[in-house]
Amino acid sequence: MAASPTGPGAQAPPKPTWDPREPARPYPWLRPTIRIRLTLLYGGMFLIAGMVLLTIIYLLAAQALRDVSSLPFRIVDVRGELTSQSCPGLSGTMETQEFTERLSDCVDAQRASALDTLLRRSLLALLGLAVAAFAFGYVMAGRVLSPLGRITRTARQVAGSDLHKRIELEGPDDELRELSDTFDDMLDRLERAFTAQQRFVGNASHELRTPLAINRTLLEVQLSDPGASPEVQQLAKTLLATNERSEELVEGLLLLARSDNEIVDRKPVDLAEVAARAVEQGRTEANGKGVELRGERSPAVVQGNGVLLERVALNLVQNAVRYNVPEDGWVEVGTESRPGQAVLTVANTGPVVPAYEVDNLFEPFRRLRTERTGSDKGVGLGLSIVRSVARAHGGSVRAEPREEGGLVVRVVLPV
């Protein structure tokens, strides 16, 4: 299967645009966004600074307590009985030397207990402040990055349908303001480029179609003249076929130029119905070549442009019919619905296609083992248009060679 022609009656698609919907992500919180990274940076820096500060305070407190390790007084004589719940060793009557030693041990124990209490409570306070710092950092990162969010939303809106939209970010003249102004300048250039492209396509459509239509009319009038000689009639038929081929090439180029971007003006389209129409349109040519058209088509509704999707199915069917085996060939056209997807599959018998040649078939004016069109099978834009329209609908197209020969082409579109 290779690139097929586009018919002269192909309708032009609507203005090409993109779908601004944000792609769904299964686990958005696991994305390493700039906001998350800034939050981790802010919180991590606070946590490290708090741990360093806590270590310094702990060491200073321990050093201060060690400096007063000796008692600031001397016991000369003990006459009486002391009772202490904190230092049970001081209870009871004892000698002066023993009392002094036990009192020093008690002071050391109290000093160690005070340091442990200081460390434990400081760690709890640091943990609470770290949680608050992470939350505060998340909020502040969101405020700092809010201009980037506005730029992103504006970019989606511009990509969606309106090239006249601008960011026009207000605020201090910082890096984000500079980025916004640069983006607005880029949008101005893009708007001018798209306007020029639309104007060119419109002018080319008129300038190229009009002389070809005039030539076709003159040739048909010449063919209807009963007094024309056989040589003149044969020449007119040859020129008419050449003119028809030129018309198909022009229509294919215009359709390819207009369907290369995503669209948002979508309506429910059943791929089964689209495929059935394409099969009926290609049945006459298939019968003439002895190719059987078959396949099961289940309902598969997508949001898209019916004219473009019908062109996709028709191009695939025409390619499958024209690039087939001389005898006992078949083309199988099927549709199915999958979770979140609709699939159009066109398989056919035909010559063996090397796997490394498959991607080249989707390039304009490419065919199997040839780089330029030169046969009566088409103008070489069929599969290019298929890929362009599939991308315009946010889908994809993939071709796989069959071991017996031919191709299996699958067009996958989101529902």
Side-chain angles (χ1 to χ4, degrees):
M1 188 185 301
S4 70
T6 56
Q11 300 183 22
K15 176 183 177 181
T17 52
W18 290 273
D19 188 351
R21 293 174 295 180
E22 181 178 4
R25 296 181 176 91
Y27 304 103
W29 285 99
L30 297 180
R31 292 178 56 225
T33 60
I34 297 180
R35 186 175 186 180
I36 295 297
R37 284 182 287 176
L38 287 178
T39 301
L40 295 177
L41 178 61
Y42 297 156
M45 292 179 62
F46 174 84
L47 189 59
I48 293 175
M51 293 179 65
V52 172
L53 181 61
L54 176 59
T55 302
I56 294 175
I57 293 175
Y58 181 83
L59 294 176
L60 292 176
Q63 181 65 32
L65 291 176
R66 280 197 299 269
D67 292 341
V68 294
S69 58
S70 60
L71 297 175
F73 55 87
R74 184 170 59 89
I75 299 176
V76 178
D77 188 14
V78 176
R79 294 176 181 271
E81 181 179 345
L82 299 177
T83 302
S84 175
Q85 296 179 354
S86 302
C87 299
L90 296 179
S91 301
T93 305
M94 64 193 71
E95 296 294 333
T96 301
Q97 182 65 27
E98 182 181 1
F99 180 83
T100 302
E101 294 177 355
R102 291 189 180 185
L103 182 59
S104 297
D105 295 339
C106 180
V107 171
D108 293 339
Q110 292 299 314
R111 185 183 299 112
S113 176
L115 290 175
D116 291 342
T117 302
L118 174 64
L119 180 61
R120 183 171 57 254
R121 293 181 178 178
S122 298
L123 288 176
L124 291 177
L126 179 62
L127 179 60
L129 291 176
V131 174
F134 277 103
F136 183 74
Y138 185 81
V139 174
M140 292 304 299
R143 292 181 62 88
V144 172
L145 295 175
S146 58
L148 287 180
R150 179 176 175 180
I151 293 174
T152 302
R153 290 189 297 271
T154 303
R156 289 200 182 101
Q157 294 176 3
V158 169
S161 59
D162 187 9
L163 287 176
H164 300 285
K165 184 73 174 180
R166 296 296 181 268
I167 300 174
E168 298 178 351
L169 185 65
E170 300 178 354
D173 189 11
D174 54 6
E175 290 81 0
L176 294 178
R177 175 73 175 274
E178 184 179 357
L179 174 62
S180 172
D181 294 341
T182 303
F183 191 80
D184 286 342
D185 293 339
M186 182 187 66
L187 290 179
D188 290 335
R189 298 185 63 181
L190 283 177
E191 182 181 7
R192 290 194 297 267
F194 274 100
T195 302
Q197 182 188 30
Q198 293 174 359
R199 186 163 52 248
F200 169 78
V201 171
N203 294 337
S205 175
H206 174 73
E207 296 296 334
L208 294 177
R209 286 172 176 167
T210 301
L212 291 175
I214 295 175
N215 291 341
R216 183 178 68 253
T217 302
L218 294 176
L219 292 172
E220 290 175 348
V221 170
Q222 183 63 40
L223 285 175
S224 63
D225 184 8
S229 63
E231 293 80 4
V232 173
Q233 290 189 353
Q234 181 62 36
L235 178 60
K237 291 180 180 179
T238 303
L239 294 176
L240 186 61
T242 303
N243 192 84
E244 181 179 359
R245 180 179 175 81
S246 299
E247 289 180 341
E248 293 174 351
L249 177 59
V250 170
E251 292 292 339
L253 289 173
L254 293 176
L255 181 60
L256 183 61
R258 292 183 175 182
S259 64
D260 200 30
N261 298 317
E262 291 193 20
I263 58 175
V264 292
D265 184 15
R266 306 184 182 209
K267 298 179 180 179
V269 180
D270 190 354
L271 287 185
E273 181 180 355
V274 169
R277 292 180 181 176
V279 169
E280 291 302 320
Q281 294 181 47
R283 189 173 299 279
T284 301
E285 185 177 1
N287 294 336
K289 294 182 176 293
V291 176
E292 176 188 3
L293 295 178
R294 64 190 189 189
E296 297 182 359
R297 292 173 285 277
S298 304
V301 180
V302 299
Q303 298 292 327
N305 183 283
V307 176
L308 294 178
L309 293 177
E310 185 174 344
R311 171 55 56 184
V312 167
L314 181 59
N315 282 1
L316 293 178
V317 171
Q318 288 178 342
N319 279 339
V321 170
R322 295 172 183 177
Y323 295 88
N324 217 302
V325 293
E327 297 180 357
D328 299 329
W330 52 264
V331 174
E332 188 172 273
V333 183
T335 58
E336 60 177 324
S337 180
R338 299 177 182 175
Q341 295 178 338
V343 183
L344 168 65
T345 304
V346 178
N348 71 305
T349 54
V352 177
V353 180
Y356 59 83
E357 290 278 1
V358 172
D359 291 339
N360 293 332
L361 299 179
F362 289 92
E363 298 297 330
F365 306 107
R366 295 275 182 149
R367 285 201 184 91
L368 182 61
R369 299 184 183 89
T370 59
E371 291 191 355
R372 291 293 173 183
T373 58
S375 68
D376 58 352
K377 295 182 178 180
V379 296
L381 293 175
L383 290 184
S384 299
I385 294 175
V386 169
R387 182 177 62 180
S388 179
V389 173
R391 290 177 177 176
H393 287 77
S396 61
V397 57
R398 183 176 181 181
E400 299 177 355
R402 299 177 64 252
E403 294 182 359
E404 303 83 1
L407 289 176
V408 178
V409 181
R410 291 184 177 88
V411 179
V412 181
L413 302 175
V415 296

